[in-house]
Amino acid sequence: MKIQVRDAPPRSVWALQQAGVHPLLAQLYAARGVHSADELDDGLARLLPPAGMLGTQEAARMLADAMRDGKRICVVADYDCDGATACAVALRGLRLLGAQNVSYLVPDRVIDGYGLTAPIAERVKATGADVLVTVDNGIASMDGVARARALGMQVLVTDHHLPALKDGQIVLPDADVIVNPNQPGCSFESKSIAGVGVMFYVLLALRAELRERGVFTAQNQPKVDTLLPLVALGTVADVVKLDANNRRLVAQGLRRIRAGHLPVGLASLFTAAGRKANVATTFDFGFALGPRINAAGRLSDMTLGIECLLTDDAGRADELARTLDGINRERRDIEADMREQAQLAADAMIDEDAEPPPAIAIFDPDFHEGVVGIVASRIKDKLHRPTFVFAASQAPGKEHELKGSGRSIPGFHLRDALDLVAKRQPGVLLRFGGHAMAAGCTINEENFELFESALQQVAHEWLDAATLTRRMDTDGPLAAEYRRTDVVDTLHKEVWGQGFAAPTFSEEVEVVSQRLVGEKHLALKLKHQGQPVDGIWFGHTEPLPARVKLAFRLDADEWQGVRRVRFLVEAAEI
């Protein structure tokens, strides 16, 4: 592990401080590419305009016409938190704007697989739908879109994933309208917007269209900003890059949640997770609420998660939140067992004195397909290698297929790697798709070793020693004057996440004492710049030397009514 310090340009730090930004925040923001206080303006007026996203105007006209004509609209969701929040935003938003006939359908991870398939299109048609709207999926659903249109339905695809490739060329489904910032010809600056954000932008365009038609005026139009708490949750949970526009969406959602303006389902999820909505943070989204929504899609039925976000009945919301919490506990148990098995399999691939292979692919017949992505992420973090974890399909008649989920490291575009594997080994990949850092694929079990060797060959070609060396970017030493609980609170209130990393400091400290707690966490007594401070390294059991360079985040714990700063250790340079 190499711990390195981000560069914070002094001129940018000075400019931010002169504008009244807290000195520590000025340093942190400058190190993340913020050069002026103007960039920190998170007002709604600073959001990128909907007209800049290709297809929003056409989508607005299509939906406005459907609402005017009393057509039935069915939303086809995805089974992760982004898909669930996008579905809830779509239904709440369309109803808010006057739609009378809106329903939804969410595929089953095991039976249906990912995206809009032809059988799902037929099920949508069977509900009597006239208009099919996808959220967080559909950009690669050629067959599903074609079947829906053949059945006489209009199709609106709203998605944020990369389009499919065929023979190296981008191909798009033949939908009536596509809204996706990553489609060719779209100049929308925020290419990292989540699926829920795309749907929110469609609703903004629809409201503007309805104003043009005289349905609303600027004074009496519905306030779609009430949907921002859901947009914020889905954005953070999907681990998209928090560029300036995404940060504004998340900041606006957090502001409303902290003020108590949130759907009852979200409030119930905060309670079930043991978190407080009035001091909500992005960490709550990423590590408490998001996993509970995701667990439904992984192990059960995402309808539970969507209903929790849709209901306005507090009692029903509490019941659903408790159910989701229970499913998440089950997910954690399954994940822990799988992670242990996967780690044993990964260790078996590595000679004691050798480096791991440049890419990892693991399959075990006992793995659960709903948790392979989480386990791949854990193995990737531990070994710093692109990692795929596979499980046998549980779909009837598909027992011979393996479903894999992959996670990558900087410098290795996972979806492009799969595309190259598909070209070199035709027929090995039955289906694939995804992003640079996360992707999925389906293969026949008999082709697992062929896939593994092909993936490793691509990794050999694309990755060098420097890329395969784990590095942690930090913000350098923490001035002793900032080792305070009020500073901890200040930092927690800000919007941090993918591409805008939470503050991590690094410096040499003295280890006064250390002991294991819970058999898998290292509790520490440290001296930081000569002053005592507690530390904890979750998931780490190896002892540390008397003096060591640590990377740590600031946190506060409470004991007997007294709050104290503690260091959450992330890494050590040994």
Side-chain angles (χ1 to χ4, degrees):
M1 167 64 74
K2 177 67 174 175
I3 295 175
Q4 52 194 24
V5 179
R6 297 182 180 92
D7 177 46
R11 189 178 295 273
S12 298
V13 175
W14 180 84
L16 291 169
Q17 289 180 345
Q18 291 299 110
V21 177
H22 186 288
L24 179 56
L25 287 176
Q27 175 196 333
L28 299 173
Y29 283 142
R32 287 154 181 78
V34 176
H35 303 298
S36 69
D38 183 62
E39 298 174 56
L40 299 174
D41 183 352
D42 60 13
L44 288 175
R46 292 299 308 274
L47 287 175
L48 295 172
M53 191 181 295
L54 182 64
T56 52
Q57 310 308 303
E58 293 83 355
R61 288 192 289 270
M62 176 178 160
L63 291 171
D65 288 346
M67 291 163 58
R68 177 198 63 201
D69 299 338
K71 291 182 178 180
R72 297 177 182 271
I73 302 170
C74 183
V75 176
V76 176
D78 187 24
Y79 39 67
D80 67 358
C81 188
D82 186 17
T85 52
C87 183
V89 163
L91 267 75
R92 283 185 173 274
L94 288 169
R95 290 168 180 166
L96 187 67
L97 294 173
Q100 300 296 315
N101 300 304
V102 188
S103 62
Y104 75 92
L105 185 152
V106 59
D108 183 282
R109 179 187 293 268
V110 173
I111 297 172
D112 299 309
Y114 174 76
L116 173 65
T117 63
I120 292 173
E122 291 167 0
R123 280 157 51 193
V124 171
K125 181 64 177 178
T127 69
D130 305 298
V131 179
L132 188 158
V133 179
T134 71
V135 290
D136 192 32
N137 76 96
I139 195 64
S141 301
M142 313 302 167
D143 294 343
V145 170
R147 184 59 180 150
R149 296 196 68 190
L151 291 168
M153 290 184 286
Q154 291 180 288
V155 179
L156 164 60
V157 168
T158 76
D159 201 352
H160 69 127
H161 293 94
L162 297 175
L165 296 174
K166 185 175 182 180
D167 299 325
Q169 300 297 313
I170 291 175
V171 290
L172 299 174
D174 188 23
D176 291 271
V177 181
I178 297 175
V179 183
N180 183 335
N182 289 301
Q183 67 177 308
C186 184
S187 60
F188 193 71
E189 292 178 27
S190 180
K191 301 298 183 184
S192 300
I193 192 168
V196 66
V198 174
M199 188 63 225
F200 180 71
Y201 264 75
V202 169
L203 292 171
L204 290 176
L206 174 58
R207 187 178 65 173
E209 175 68 20
L210 293 172
R211 279 201 313 270
E212 287 290 321
R213 297 185 182 200
V215 177
F216 307 122
T217 66
Q219 289 72 39
N220 72 0
Q221 65 183 359
K223 294 185 176 181
V224 295
D225 63 307
T226 58
L227 303 170
L228 284 166
L230 295 171
V231 176
L233 170 59
T235 298
V236 174
D238 210 46
V239 203
V240 295
K241 179 183 178 182
L242 292 185
D243 58 23
N245 203 62
N246 280 339
R247 292 201 309 277
R248 291 184 183 112
L249 291 171
V250 173
Q252 288 288 334
L254 279 172
R255 186 170 301 163
R256 285 158 179 75
I257 289 173
R258 291 167 183 162
H261 305 309
L262 69 166
V264 294
L266 272 190
S268 294
L269 282 169
F270 270 99
T271 300
R275 305 297 179 101
K276 296 178 180 179
N278 64 329
V279 288
T281 69
T282 52
F283 297 99
D284 294 326
F285 291 156
F287 298 101
L289 274 65
R292 282 165 172 79
I293 296 289
N294 276 327
R298 296 185 189 282
L299 300 184
S300 183
D301 179 0
M302 183 48 90
T303 300
L304 294 169
I306 294 173
E307 285 298 314
C308 185
L309 301 178
L310 284 176
T311 185
D312 293 318
D313 183 310
R316 175 66 173 153
D318 284 344
E319 177 186 350
L320 288 166
R322 287 193 297 269
T323 299
L324 291 170
D325 184 62
I327 296 171
N328 191 51
R329 293 176 191 276
E330 180 186 357
R331 186 272 304 171
R332 285 201 297 256
D333 291 341
I334 293 172
E335 178 198 338
D337 291 341
M338 281 178 58
R339 191 166 66 238
E340 184 176 341
Q341 294 177 59
Q343 189 59 55
L344 289 172
D347 290 344
M349 300 168 64
I350 306 167
D351 294 333
E352 186 172 340
D353 298 322
E355 284 289 308
I360 306 291
I362 297 170
F363 163 64
D364 189 289
D366 294 329
F367 284 175
H368 190 293
E369 65 177 271
V371 190
V372 288
I374 299 175
V375 176
S377 181
R378 301 289 192 270
I379 299 299
K380 180 268 297 182
D381 289 343
K382 185 174 180 64
L383 299 179
H384 194 65
R385 296 292 189 272
T387 301
F388 268 90
V389 176
F390 287 86
S393 174
Q394 298 172 331
K398 299 290 184 68
E399 294 81 3
H400 61 289
E401 292 184 357
L402 304 182
K403 290 185 177 180
S405 187
R407 299 294 184 270
S408 196
I409 61 175
F412 192 81
H413 195 298
L414 211 53
R415 202 285 303 266
D416 286 356
L418 289 178
D419 185 52
L420 186 53
V421 169
K423 288 185 174 69
R424 291 177 172 179
Q425 300 291 342
V428 167
L429 291 175
L430 303 177
R431 291 174 294 280
F432 72 92
H435 292 295
M437 303 303 288
C441 65
T442 302
I443 63 176
N444 283 321
E445 182 174 349
E446 62 184 18
N447 287 330
F448 172 75
E449 291 184 359
L450 189 57
F451 169 84
E452 180 182 26
S453 62
L455 179 68
Q456 290 191 4
Q457 180 59 39
V458 175
H460 268 297
E461 297 168 7
W462 288 6
L463 296 172
D464 56 20
T467 310
L468 290 171
T469 299
R470 183 187 285 113
R471 289 175 169 79
M472 175 167 284
D473 290 326
T474 73
D475 296 290
L478 174 72
E481 63 186 290
Y482 296 135
R483 198 179 56 240
R484 307 193 314 264
T485 56
D486 64 305
V487 173
V488 174
D489 294 338
T490 296
L491 295 181
H492 282 185
K493 288 177 183 176
E494 301 302 308
V495 174
W496 313 107
Q498 182 70 24
F500 205 80
T504 303
F505 304 96
S506 61
E507 59 192 295
E508 189 173 280
V509 298
E510 179 183 345
V511 179
V512 178
S513 67
Q514 51 191 311
R515 62 186 177 87
L516 284 180
V517 293
E519 299 184 353
K520 55 183 179 181
H521 311 302
L522 192 62
L524 301 162
K525 297 289 185 181
L526 306 170
K527 273 197 174 178
H528 171 252
Q529 299 180 20
Q531 296 297 313
V533 62
D534 288 342
I536 183 81
W537 192 345
F538 291 113
H540 186 87
T541 58
E542 297 297 317
L544 295 174
R547 293 197 66 84
V548 63
K549 184 176 183 180
L550 295 180
F552 57 90
R553 290 191 290 113
L554 275 186
D555 191 33
D557 65 345
E558 189 168 325
W559 176 251
Q560 296 182 337
V562 179
R563 294 182 76 225
R564 300 172 303 178
V565 170
R566 68 171 177 176
F567 291 174
L568 299 182
V569 179
E570 298 285 323
E573 190 173 273
I574 301 175

